[in-house]
Amino acid sequence: MTAASDGGAPTASPSALGPTRDRRGSPIPTFSMIATRFMELRRRRGLMITLVLVTIGFPTVFLAIRLLLHAVAPKTYGPAGGYDIYTAMSAGVLYTFGFIVAATLGCTAGSVDLAEGMFRHLVITGRSRLALYLARIPAGLAIIGSLVAIGFAIVCAVCVYAAPSKLSYNGVTVPAGLSQSGLQTWAADNAATVVCNFSYDGSIAGNVGCDNRPGQPPSVVTQGPTGQLVPASASQAKAAATQIAQQDYQQYKRQFRYPSNSLMIKTGLWLELEATVGFIVGLGLGSLLGQRTTAVILMIVLEVILTPIAVRSRIPHFINAQRGIVGVATGHLEPGQLPLAFGGGGRDYRLTESTTTAICVILAWLIGWTILGSWRMMTRDA
Amino acid sequence: MKSTDVVASPEQHGGDGSLAVETRGLAKRFGANVAINGVDLLIPRGCAFGYLGPNGAGKTTLIRVLLGLTRADAGTMSLLGHPVPKHRDVALARVGAIVDEPRFHGHLTGRQNLQVLAAAREPAARSRIDASLERVGMLQRADDRVSKYSMGMRQRLGVAACLIGDPELLILDEPMNGLDPAGMHDMRDMIRSLVAEGRTVVLSSHLLDEVQRTCDAVAIVDRGNIIRQGPIPELLAGTSLTLQVDCSEPDRARSLISSTNLAATTIDVEGDGLAITLPAGTSRDVFAEVARVLVTGGIAVYRLEPVQASLESWFLQVTSRLGDTA
Ligand SMILES: Nc1ncnc2c1ncn2[C@@H]1O[C@H](COP(=O)(O)OP(=O)(O)OP(=O)(O)O)[C@@H](O)[C@H]1O
Ligand SMILES: [Mg+2]
């Protein structure tokens, strides 16, 4: 340390300042507070590598392999895009893991100042503690929002540019864009394929079913007078296929060769909403607990255990509590009725609720956790 | 410190801005453990003030309460004339502080850490970063990650973090911690130069020698109580004086002096001589009288030296006396 006041150090005799005009008591964070917080988070190398791997790396590698396999052996491996890939990548991977990494970032932003001893220095500046808390929100959202956007853009690009030329429904190539009667006509013409491949809930008139024994081509059968299986007549098979197509039309209608622009925009916004919820809840929980590990574990338990249970089950007397779980509400807002994250498949077992309820639940979580987290930060001993 | 009025009396200063720090009846307890016990502290502007006490005396706690890092249970306080915690944002705008051993974000460089802190201060703080780093001798290492810093380097960075706010008042909790001898020397020089610029520096320490060398005034605390406060020369003036006498036949010398009517408090035989404790303000004539009595009594006097108690021995004396009665 040089005692001499060289190098233009702050040596000027301190002015007899009255109340300074820098509004540091204001709860609104300044741009440079947000910018330096962004810098602080972005330079956490291990965390950033994890975030990038999950949101961008995983979809990229998965889709690249699909593209490559299709290019090498187009007969064995279908195109990289398609309905199933789009839904699995968006409603599955980016939805669930986007939430988890956003929550991890939130828990980090909410707890590290305290853990790393920086909280004290920040409080000593006289800056409003609420402003210190609020500065973390745009900084963290800028990081997680852009990562999710990049990952999702890659999924969209592959799904649009490597879309299959035909629609595949339940593993069967079906013409795209048929009307209900069109699908039923097509089903009657392809009765064996439809009866043996399409999903159906309930029993088909005339006890018609599929004989799908290994070693022989699948055929449409029915029960003979003595109970043994006999080949169904052509009209029986057609009637059964038409019945199945009628029930499957709603499901078929959602399918696409490639996602429409409006579906992509809605899905993108929905993924950003889920990541925002993950970040803000994580931030509040991290700040409340004051340490990262427990907070991250609780967030993962919420997302991969509690939420799937609440989404799929109807616990008597607890339906409203189930609806109060944020994942149930964001699941409700899912655009284009994409299949639920974590499989599900086939029928939709989602709990019913109104969109207003869902939006209120989400807002309550965002605001509630921000109040909890900032309250803890304002009252905590530094 | 040249001023004689280093520690103002309460009557002289109302709640105006002439005091850098003022506390009245400040108290803080952790459960049954009283960390600060009704502290009245008056620190005038423009001096280096030492807050001196043994481990666990409540030094760090007092600093934390002053800075609003934790709440006081009772009492009032003001910084730079602004009552806190009511106007802490205005007060802290001109305060820089290190509390305990300073820690930073390890994954960021020293400079980046200062940028984070400057962003929370006024816009001009960012422009003072380089000058502050230079002043604490950290400019060369400013772009290394803090996780690679030594403890002394973090301490210096902590001081730089104080300086970016161009503070009128610096509160440094054990600033010599982790510094090598050269670093301590630099730190002492820097504190003096900060005071020369008109700033006030409050430092806590249990290194008495350091406080004696660096500070103009001192408050001595133990178990949350301020035992004494005032300018160092004044405090020392109140301490007793020891006359060290090297002589032959110490036992006979002792009885010779006891038989005179000298105002000695105690007379101890120490090795080859005597240690005669005299009250504060004893005149030089008394030394001559001691020499005369011994020589007339046929005792050979080899050396006779008055020793003023150091702050350290005085401090030990005061705090241990308090410890006995507890
Ligand atoms: N957060 C806390 N919770 C409970 N007790 C505390 C806390 N902080 C301090 N104390 C207690 O308050 C007393 C004063 O502690 P403080 O840290 O202020 O001492 P100090 O003078 O700074 O000591 P040192 O020289 O060791 O730094 C101690 O008895 C300590 O145990
Ligand atoms: Mg301490």
Side-chain angles (χ1 to χ4, degrees):
Chain A
M1 275 158 259
T2 48
S5 331
D6 50 4
T11 55
S13 150
S15 49
L17 265 183
T20 45
R21 291 234 157 266
D22 58 9
R23 300 175 45 76
R24 71 183 68 199
S26 153
I28 316 273
T30 63
F31 176 76
S32 55
M33 285 166 71
I34 297 168
T36 50
R37 173 59 63 185
F38 177 82
M39 181 263 296
E40 184 272 305
L41 289 172
R42 195 173 49 84
R43 289 186 185 271
R44 297 186 177 270
R45 204 177 294 161
L47 181 68
M48 284 306 126
I49 290 174
T50 313
L51 259 58
V52 170
L53 279 183
V54 173
T55 54
I56 301 176
F58 180 72
T60 305
V61 169
F62 179 82
L63 294 171
I65 292 174
R66 296 263 317 185
L67 284 168
L68 208 67
L69 289 176
H70 181 65
V72 173
K75 292 230 167 61
T76 327
Y77 299 99
Y83 178 82
D84 290 340
I85 297 298
Y86 180 77
T87 53
M89 283 290 123
S90 55
V93 173
L94 283 176
Y95 179 74
T96 310
F97 292 104
F99 179 91
I100 292 173
V101 292
T104 308
L105 183 68
C107 296
T108 306
S111 62
V112 285
D113 276 357
L114 202 64
E116 295 175 1
M118 235 1 216
F119 186 49
R120 238 173 219 188
H121 294 292
L122 287 168
V123 170
I124 290 169
T125 63
R127 179 64 65 177
S128 145
R129 294 190 187 198
L130 183 57
L132 292 172
Y133 184 87
L134 295 178
R136 297 164 174 171
I137 294 178
L141 288 182
I143 292 175
I144 195 67
S146 49
L147 290 179
V148 169
I150 294 171
F152 182 61
I154 291 170
V155 170
C156 289
V158 171
C159 286
V160 169
Y161 292 108
S165 52
K166 297 190 189 90
L167 189 72
S168 168
Y169 178 72
N170 284 349
V172 179
T173 301
V174 184
L178 294 176
S179 66
Q180 172 138 19
S181 61
L183 182 67
Q184 283 169 248
T185 312
W186 178 86
D189 294 344
N190 298 273
T193 315
V194 170
V195 173
C196 287
N197 290 289
F198 280 25
S199 57
Y200 189 78
D201 211 25
S203 65
I204 300 170
N207 268 338
V208 176
C210 179
D211 185 10
N212 210 356
R213 271 174 288 187
Q216 56 184 39
S219 61
V220 183
V221 293
T222 185
Q223 253 169 359
T226 51
Q228 84 284 26
L229 291 180
V230 296
S233 72
S235 62
Q236 274 178 316
K238 278 186 188 215
T242 310
Q243 192 186 347
I244 292 171
Q246 192 180 356
Q247 192 191 65
D248 274 30
Y249 181 70
Q250 287 308 321
Q251 187 76 19
Y252 161 84
K253 205 174 66 172
R254 288 178 209 154
Q255 313 258 321
F256 46 74
R257 286 196 296 126
Y258 54 87
S260 70
N261 285 345
S262 82
L263 180 65
M264 287 191 289
I265 290 170
K266 284 183 200 160
T267 313
L269 290 176
W270 176 67
L271 290 175
E272 295 288 359
L273 172 71
E274 179 73 353
T276 303
V277 170
F279 176 79
I280 294 205
V281 175
L283 181 65
L285 190 63
S287 170
L288 192 68
L289 299 182
Q291 59 117 327
R292 180 162 79 165
T293 315
T294 318
V296 171
I297 291 172
L298 288 176
M299 291 299 290
I300 293 176
V301 167
L302 171 71
E303 179 66 4
V304 306
I305 299 177
L306 291 183
T307 304
I309 291 175
V311 167
R312 280 175 179 70
S313 55
R314 281 174 176 68
I315 308 163
H317 312 300
F318 283 98
I319 300 270
N320 280 330
Q322 281 176 255
R323 290 194 180 113
I325 291 182
V326 71
V328 176
T330 50
H332 176 83
L333 294 184
E334 186 169 37
Q337 292 164 303
L338 304 175
L340 269 181
F342 279 108
R347 297 270 307 215
D348 196 342
Y349 290 102
R350 257 173 275 196
L351 208 60
T352 54
E353 64 181 314
S354 74
T355 303
T356 318
T357 312
I359 290 173
C360 289
V361 167
I362 292 170
L363 286 179
W365 276 69
L366 294 181
I367 296 169
W369 280 101
T370 301
I371 290 175
L372 267 179
S374 54
W375 164 79
R376 193 71 192 97
M377 174 132 166
M378 285 155 77
T379 53
R380 187 186 279 290
D381 273 4
Chain B
M1 188 69 191
K2 292 87 217 155
S3 162
T4 49
D5 181 29
V6 167
V7 172
S9 66
E11 296 75 41
Q12 281 170 291
H13 297 280
D16 60 40
S18 63
L19 289 175
V21 178
E22 177 178 10
T23 75
R24 305 231 173 239
L26 206 62
K28 172 80 185 175
R29 56 172 66 231
F30 296 102
N33 183 1
V34 180
I36 313 179
N37 191 6
V39 163
D40 295 323
L41 191 61
L42 299 166
I43 304 177
R45 290 183 187 234
C47 72
F49 189 92
Y51 198 65
L52 197 55
N55 292 131
K59 306 182 293 293
T60 302
T61 306
L62 179 93
I63 292 175
R64 290 178 62 214
V65 168
L66 280 177
L67 297 170
L69 301 180
T70 185
R71 254 176 241 280
D73 295 327
T76 59
M77 54 193 161
S78 68
L79 291 178
L80 300 170
H82 305 288
V84 284
K86 191 152 175 267
H87 295 302
R88 65 183 292 278
D89 55 331
V90 184
L92 290 186
R94 305 307 309 274
V95 174
I98 310 182
V99 185
D100 270 339
E101 177 196 338
R103 293 191 301 142
F104 295 90
H105 289 310
H107 67 294
L108 297 184
T109 66
R111 190 191 304 278
Q112 287 163 347
N113 270 290
L114 293 190
Q115 285 166 356
V116 170
L117 295 175
R121 288 190 171 271
E122 68 277 8
R126 202 182 166 93
S127 63
R128 299 189 197 110
I129 290 178
D130 272 8
S132 304
L133 283 166
E134 169 144 35
R135 189 154 187 192
V136 297
M138 285 293 293
L139 202 52
Q140 315 308 320
R141 302 293 304 269
D143 295 312
D144 290 357
R145 290 163 175 245
V146 169
S147 58
K148 302 210 170 83
Y149 281 7
S150 70
M151 183 174 168
M153 291 162 73
R154 285 203 307 276
Q155 197 80 28
R156 286 162 186 254
L157 188 63
V159 177
C162 296
L163 293 178
I164 59 172
D166 187 19
E168 274 177 74
L169 168 64
L170 285 101
I171 301 180
L172 309 175
D173 192 10
E174 315 231 2
M176 309 293 176
N177 255 4
L179 296 183
D180 54 23
M184 285 194 194
H185 183 266
D186 290 349
M187 176 69 86
R188 203 180 313 131
D189 283 355
M190 191 173 61
I191 291 172
R192 292 311 320 176
S193 74
L194 289 167
V195 171
E197 288 161 19
R199 305 174 204 269
T200 311
V201 179
V202 177
L203 61 97
S204 83
S205 182
H206 47 234
L207 297 175
L208 308 136
D209 188 42
E210 278 307 327
V211 169
Q212 199 168 2
R213 281 198 250 172
T214 319
C215 298
D216 309 302
V218 65
I220 302 210
V221 275
D222 192 44
R223 298 167 198 222
N225 297 287
I226 293 194
I227 297 163
R228 290 276 167 83
Q229 59 178 317
I232 290 171
E234 254 176 53
L235 291 179
L236 286 178
T239 61
S240 54
L241 191 77
T242 304
L243 195 60
Q244 295 282 358
V245 186
D246 286 3
C247 57
S248 60
E249 305 172 70
D251 287 319
R252 196 164 69 79
R254 183 182 163 181
S255 46
L256 266 175
I257 293 174
S258 313
S259 60
T260 65
N261 55 355
L262 272 177
T265 323
T266 56
I267 306 170
D268 297 319
V269 176
E270 273 183 7
D272 292 338
L274 298 177
I276 307 167
T277 311
L278 299 165
T282 305
S283 90
R284 278 155 34 109
D285 298 341
V286 177
F287 310 161
E289 177 64 14
V290 168
R292 200 189 55 75
V293 167
L294 293 179
V295 172
T296 345
I299 299 211
V301 175
Y302 309 116
R303 188 175 73 97
L304 192 143
E305 185 184 18
V307 181
Q308 179 80 54
S310 71
L311 193 55
E312 174 135 18
S313 59
W314 180 70
F315 170 74
L316 282 174
Q317 200 182 316
V318 172
T319 51
S320 60
R321 191 167 63 225
L322 206 95
D324 293 342
T325 60

